Amino acid sequence: MNISKRITRRALVVLGVFILLWILLSVVLFKLQILSYDYYQNLVIQQMTKETTVTASRGSIYDTNMNLLAGNKTVWLIVISPQDIIDAMEEAEKAKAAAAAAAANTTGSTDTGNEIEVDREKFGEYEYTGPDGKTEVLPMNKLIARALSDILGVDYNRVIELAAKNGRYYEVIKKNVEKEDADKVRAFIDKYGLEDQIYLKASTKRYYPNGSLASHVIGFCNADGVGVYGIEAYYNSVLEGSSGTYITARNGRGGDLPYEYETYIEAQDGYSIVTTIDSYIQYELENVLLETMTENNAQNRVAGIVMDVNTGAILAMATLGGVDLNKPYELTDYYQNLLDEKGLVEGTDEYNKAYFDILYGMWTNKAVTELYEPGSTFKIITTSIALETNTSKLTDKFTCTGSLKVGGFNISCHKTIGHGTLNFAEALQQSCNPALMTIAARIGREDFYKYYKMFGYGEKTGIDLPGEAKTYYHSFSNFSDVSLAVYAFGQTFKVTPIQHLMAISAVANGGYLVTPHIMREIIDSDGNVIQSYEPNVVRQVISADVSKKISAILEEGVSGSGGAKNAYVAGYKVAAKTGTSQKRDKLDEHGQDTLRVSSCVAYAPADNPQVAVLILVDEPSNGVVYGSLVAAPYVSKLLSFVLPYIGIEPQYAESEEASIEKTISNYVGMDIEAAKAAAQAAELEYIVVGDGSEVVAQSPSSGTIVSKISKLVVLYTGTEEPKNTVEVPDVVGKTAEAANRLIINKKLNIRIAGAANYASGSGATVVSQSPAAGTFVPEGTVITVEFMHLSDISD
């Protein structure tokens, strides 16, 4: 009985143990098969499959004429397969061990030197000669690391580390490898038979064919191909597309399974953007900005915008100095000089901080992201509000004694001796602060504040570029009578250049506030239009009648005796206003309040506006700060190109004859009598030098552009050639009449640049000439003189 009980007890114990083991096994199986199913399934899939990302092609960016602004360039991705390296090295070790065992049983060897070399590579030992001429015998992982380090400049130890990753078949060594280096990698692979261990994958790299042109508008992409500035950032989701996937299956030995086991998910390429930017206008804008930045020694960059006043399309936008979009992390010369001037030691924390501060500043689009006080250019808005609210009339008179007391503060005019008595138009043309303060007081705080916001200054414009700043202005509860007075002439509040030009364009186009925009169309790879931009009218702010009146006043100020005379363009009616504002939040290096922002806004033709222009010069430091001298002449140069380019023909008045230009024809090779007749037909006087029968040389040369008032061509015959016999007179500082007389009397020709309305007001004077005074030149040579109004100007 006792024996039976013991047997039963033992059996129960054994059974209990088996039940416990079964329960434990069930729990483990449940965990493996149910709870951790996805985890282990992924492990199996990772071992059995190889997944490769198929990168989508990023869309291109074009200007409005379909000139490429941003595209893609073929580059290569260099990838290693660590598991294939490990497997090859293990196979080599086995072969080496087998060879050693075989050698132990062999009494001799008949290997040739060639066969020994073959055996060495079979055993995983490779001879490698580096760029320094040094030859080493290396195992496969070190061979690959050494060669890729030498060719691509990658870190040797990093490659060694990546090559040791078990179970990995895809490790990126370097992205964006150019063709020259990619070819070297291919040659290395071919030489050592490393097709399974290293491979190249064609990819694309963002490429900007025009370098820095429109750089702040276009923006750039980071190393991962993601847009981080400009259009590239704003429309990144449109441009980037969606990546695809290529999945291949492997057998137990790591080899590829048949095609039916492969899966391919096609990449969806990004759409392309057609912008409103016109590359030709953009190029001209940047040239003009470079000129004003250099000539006025702007310490805090310059910016400019050209906009279609009716649609809001941005035809050009620039900030100088620019960014080389193909090397966005390298400082351009302008910014490198700023860094060098700090005198910091490269590599120090102070140097690195300064470098990145300057780099980020280099990337910012001044026209959109930075604020400034618009100064007297805002008087266009104040006077428009006054006429719209019927609080002032064109016949109103104002008296300026040089200042006006408001709220206990004596606020000065730029003309401290006063303008005397002015009518409404003259108040705007002469930029009289006391008159504008009086006009604003008549409008009243409530209406002025309401229209200020209606003109869009209380909100962002909504332009399709990132980082747009919002206006800085007083809340109505803090908008005092003094605030009203200084707001009237554009002080103590801040706007962005694009915001201000949007409001000015509303005055130009009949009163409509139109959203500025960069995108014209979104297209697919076949050119099909996916989306078009439709102009967006936010609201009508003023009437068409007020718009016409203000435009006429501004144009009369440019063509007549107003302060914006230097914005004049011969043959065109230009409406313009200049401004000079204080930088209240920044002192100069001596702690003085001398820093200024000089600007000019303009639109044309004044009687049928098509384009508006703004040029802003931040901190000019060559001794002249007025916008009428620092910005207006460059607005004139820009519009002189833009207006005929967009198809608006000049219509010259009789007084503008001197501004009309003509091109000298080619007389060389002509019979002298025929040449004389041709010169007379071109309304040219001629001088014949020599006694030959055929023209062998001429001055000015064929194709030279001269002012219509130039009358002389010198024809050389026989063995005669042009000789430098005439000394160029000094005409800088002279009036137009005096300069022309001095040049013509020397038997030279003249070409007029700059203020073609040189007779307006008290008259313009010559500020530069080329060739320089004292230079000896042949008779008939063209002397280019630049005129500028230096008196009777406003801020």
Side-chain angles (χ1 to χ4, degrees):
M1 183 72 178
N2 289 336
I3 294 172
S4 176
K5 284 183 178 180
R6 284 199 297 272
I7 292 171
T8 302
R9 227 179 356 255
R10 288 175 182 172
L12 289 173
V13 170
V14 172
L15 179 61
V17 170
F18 275 108
I19 291 172
L20 181 61
L21 290 173
W22 181 82
I23 291 171
L24 290 172
L25 180 61
S26 297
V27 170
V28 171
L29 289 173
F30 179 79
K31 182 176 183 298
L32 292 173
Q33 295 182 349
I34 305 300
L35 298 180
S36 301
Y37 174 81
D38 291 339
Y39 172 75
Y40 287 103
Q41 184 187 49
N42 287 334
L43 284 182
V44 172
I45 290 172
Q46 287 176 16
Q47 292 175 357
M48 293 181 62
T49 62
K50 177 182 173 184
E51 184 174 315
T52 304
T53 300
V54 180
T55 306
S57 179
R58 189 174 179 86
S60 299
I61 300 173
Y62 299 95
D63 82 344
T64 194
N65 300 310
M66 293 304 291
N67 294 309
L68 185 66
L69 298 177
N72 301 312
K73 178 181 181 182
T74 301
V75 289
W76 283 265
L77 195 68
I78 308 299
V79 180
I80 62 170
S81 175
Q83 189 59 56
D84 284 312
I85 294 172
I86 293 167
D87 291 346
M89 291 178 69
E90 287 177 353
E91 288 296 321
E93 283 299 317
K94 289 177 184 177
K96 191 174 183 180
N105 298 322
T106 304
T107 56
S109 174
T110 58
D111 287 347
T112 66
N114 218 7
E115 289 168 329
I116 291 170
E117 185 65 31
V118 172
D119 284 345
R120 177 177 284 174
E121 293 198 359
K122 179 181 177 182
F123 300 152
E125 297 174 350
Y126 301 86
E127 270 196 9
Y128 174 75
T129 303
D132 58 359
K134 182 181 177 183
T135 299
E136 301 175 88
V137 177
L138 302 168
M140 182 180 286
N141 62 337
K142 292 185 177 180
L143 169 73
I144 291 172
R146 179 69 65 208
L148 295 184
S149 175
D150 289 342
I151 297 170
L152 303 176
V154 294
D155 183 66
Y156 171 86
N157 292 323
R158 176 174 169 270
V159 181
I160 290 290
E161 183 182 331
L162 292 175
K165 289 191 172 184
N166 255 304
R168 298 285 295 173
Y169 294 90
Y170 189 92
E171 291 293 336
V172 176
I173 299 299
K174 189 172 183 180
K175 298 177 180 178
N176 297 330
V177 176
E178 302 284 347
K179 184 178 185 301
E180 182 180 355
D181 286 341
D183 288 343
K184 290 178 182 178
V185 174
R186 287 193 188 92
F188 169 71
I189 293 170
D190 293 342
K191 180 176 180 180
Y192 292 98
L194 300 173
E195 291 82 2
D196 293 333
Q197 289 75 28
I198 310 173
Y199 54 97
L200 290 80
K201 180 183 174 186
S203 181
T204 57
K205 174 185 178 183
R206 208 59 168 160
Y207 172 64
Y208 304 93
N210 301 307
S212 63
L213 187 74
S215 56
H216 290 94
V217 175
I218 300 168
F220 59 91
C221 295
N222 62 19
D224 295 320
V226 178
V228 290
Y229 277 88
I231 298 170
E232 293 278 30
Y234 193 92
Y235 288 106
N236 185 66
S237 61
V238 174
L239 291 162
E240 68 178 353
S242 56
S243 298
T245 305
Y246 181 47
I247 303 172
T248 55
R250 291 175 175 265
N251 58 30
R253 296 179 180 178
D256 290 336
L257 288 174
Y259 175 77
E260 58 264 28
Y261 293 97
E262 295 180 356
T263 302
Y264 179 66
I265 301 172
E266 189 174 1
Q268 299 297 316
D269 290 344
Y271 291 129
S272 293
I273 304 289
V274 181
T275 69
T276 57
I277 297 294
D278 187 304
S279 292
Y280 300 104
I281 298 176
Q282 181 73 32
Y283 182 78
E284 194 67 24
L285 171 63
E286 294 190 15
N287 281 342
V288 167
L289 291 181
L290 178 60
E291 190 175 346
T292 185
M293 185 169 75
T294 303
E295 293 182 358
N296 294 290
N297 196 23
Q299 297 297 296
N300 195 28
R301 306 193 295 172
V302 298
I305 309 170
V306 181
M307 186 167 87
D308 185 318
V309 299
N310 299 302
T311 67
I314 302 299
L315 307 181
M317 177 185 285
T319 303
L320 290 192
V323 183
D324 183 345
L325 296 180
N326 293 308
K327 301 174 184 176
Y329 295 93
E330 293 183 16
L331 298 180
T332 58
D333 291 344
Y334 172 80
Y335 294 100
Q336 186 62 51
N337 289 337
L338 293 181
L339 181 60
D340 293 343
E341 287 170 2
K342 294 182 179 292
L344 301 172
V345 178
E346 188 171 351
T348 62
D349 290 343
E350 293 82 1
Y351 180 93
N352 291 336
K353 182 181 184 304
Y355 169 82
F356 283 108
D357 285 346
I358 291 173
L359 184 70
Y360 296 143
M362 180 178 80
W363 292 340
T364 58
N365 184 349
K366 193 177 188 73
V368 173
T369 65
E370 293 187 17
L371 299 170
Y372 77 111
E373 294 186 15
S376 291
T377 59
F378 189 80
K379 291 171 181 175
I380 296 173
I381 305 301
T382 301
T383 50
S384 296
I385 297 171
L387 293 183
E388 183 66 24
T389 56
N390 203 30
T391 52
S392 288
K393 300 187 292 294
L394 296 180
T395 55
D396 288 350
K397 300 288 185 179
F398 307 90
T399 300
C400 171
T401 60
S403 65
L404 185 68
K405 197 166 187 176
V406 180
F409 293 91
N410 200 46
I411 303 174
S412 299
C413 185
H414 71 91
K415 190 171 184 178
T416 54
I417 63 172
H419 286 97
T421 301
L422 301 165
N423 62 29
F424 184 89
E426 290 167 338
L428 177 57
Q429 293 163 356
Q430 301 299 328
S431 201
C432 177
N433 288 351
L436 265 292
M437 287 188 277
T438 303
I439 289 169
R442 293 178 181 178
I443 297 169
R445 289 171 55 248
E446 287 191 10
D447 275 351
F448 187 96
Y449 200 84
K450 179 182 77 173
Y451 274 91
Y452 176 88
K453 299 189 81 171
M454 285 181 66
F455 268 109
Y457 292 110
E459 56 198 358
K460 296 180 181 180
T461 67
I463 189 173
D464 47 347
L465 286 174
E468 182 182 5
K470 187 179 178 181
T471 307
Y472 172 82
Y473 63 102
H474 294 83
S475 64
F476 186 71
S477 60
N478 292 320
F479 191 64
S480 65
D481 288 340
V482 175
S483 300
L484 173 63
V486 292
Y487 269 48
F489 54 86
Q491 301 277 13
T492 71
F493 66 93
K494 290 187 174 183
V495 301
T496 60
I498 186 61
Q499 194 170 43
H500 192 38
L501 194 60
M502 177 186 180
I504 297 299
S505 294
V507 177
N509 67 19
Y512 297 95
L513 195 68
V514 181
T515 303
H517 66 280
I518 295 289
M519 185 271 283
R520 194 190 86 192
E521 291 175 343
I522 297 174
I523 60 174
D524 64 17
S525 56
D526 295 322
N528 299 311
V529 177
I530 304 301
Q531 180 183 338
S532 295
Y533 184 90
E534 295 297 328
N536 177 49
V537 176
V538 180
R539 66 182 75 90
Q540 185 169 10
V541 187
I542 59 173
S543 67
D545 180 61
V546 169
S547 170
K548 288 179 181 178
K549 288 176 180 177
I550 294 295
S551 296
I553 291 170
L554 292 171
E555 192 280 325
E556 288 168 5
V558 172
S559 61
S561 58
K565 293 187 292 293
N566 285 323
Y568 180 86
V569 180
Y572 297 96
K573 293 183 177 181
V574 175
K577 184 73 186 76
T578 61
T580 311
S581 60
Q582 295 172 276
K583 298 191 75 168
R584 302 172 191 279
D585 50 2
K586 184 179 178 182
L587 300 177
D588 65 19
E589 57 186 358
H590 304 295
Q592 301 297 311
D593 177 23
T594 63
L595 301 179
R596 298 290 184 268
V597 177
S598 308
S599 63
C600 179
V601 294
Y603 54 89
D607 52 356
N608 182 25
Q610 300 298 313
V611 292
V613 171
L614 180 149
I615 286 182
L616 178 151
V617 183
D618 201 342
E619 299 178 20
S621 61
N622 266 359
V624 178
V625 296
Y626 282 149
S628 51
L629 299 175
V630 172
Y634 305 95
V635 165
S636 172
K637 290 181 181 181
L638 181 59
L639 286 174
S640 295
F641 170 82
V642 172
L643 293 172
Y645 173 76
I646 63 175
I648 301 173
E649 295 293 332
Q651 296 180 348
Y652 295 102
E654 221 175 282
S655 60
E656 296 176 315
E657 184 181 5
S659 303
I660 302 173
E661 295 186 330
K662 60 186 177 185
T663 303
I664 299 297
S665 299
N666 183 22
Y667 302 104
V668 174
M670 294 179 66
D671 173 86
I672 188 62
E673 294 305 322
K676 289 178 182 179
Q680 284 181 327
E683 298 182 351
L684 290 173
E685 297 174 3
Y686 56 84
I687 296 175
V688 178
V689 179
D691 54 7
S693 60
E694 182 179 304
V695 178
V696 296
Q698 69 180 72
S699 178
S701 59
S702 170
T704 300
I705 298 174
V706 298
S707 294
K708 188 179 179 182
I709 57 174
S710 293
K711 298 292 186 182
L712 182 65
V713 61
V714 182
L715 306 173
Y716 296 88
T717 66
T719 58
E720 295 292 337
E721 293 181 356
K723 294 182 176 63
N724 297 329
T725 57
V726 181
E727 183 177 6
V728 176
D730 184 0
V731 296
V732 173
K734 299 289 193 293
T735 64
E737 183 181 355
N740 187 53
R741 184 173 60 251
L742 285 169
I743 290 170
I744 298 300
N745 287 345
K746 286 277 190 175
K747 295 183 179 179
L748 299 171
N749 287 301
I750 189 170
R751 184 182 184 189
I752 295 171
N757 58 338
Y758 47 76
S760 296
S762 58
T765 54
V766 179
V767 293
S768 68
Q769 67 177 81
S770 178
T775 306
F776 282 87
V777 296
E779 290 181 338
T781 297
V782 177
I783 311 301
T784 300
V785 293
E786 181 178 6
F787 288 97
M788 189 179 294
H789 290 278
L790 301 176
S791 58
D792 290 338
I793 56 170
S794 62
D795 53 357

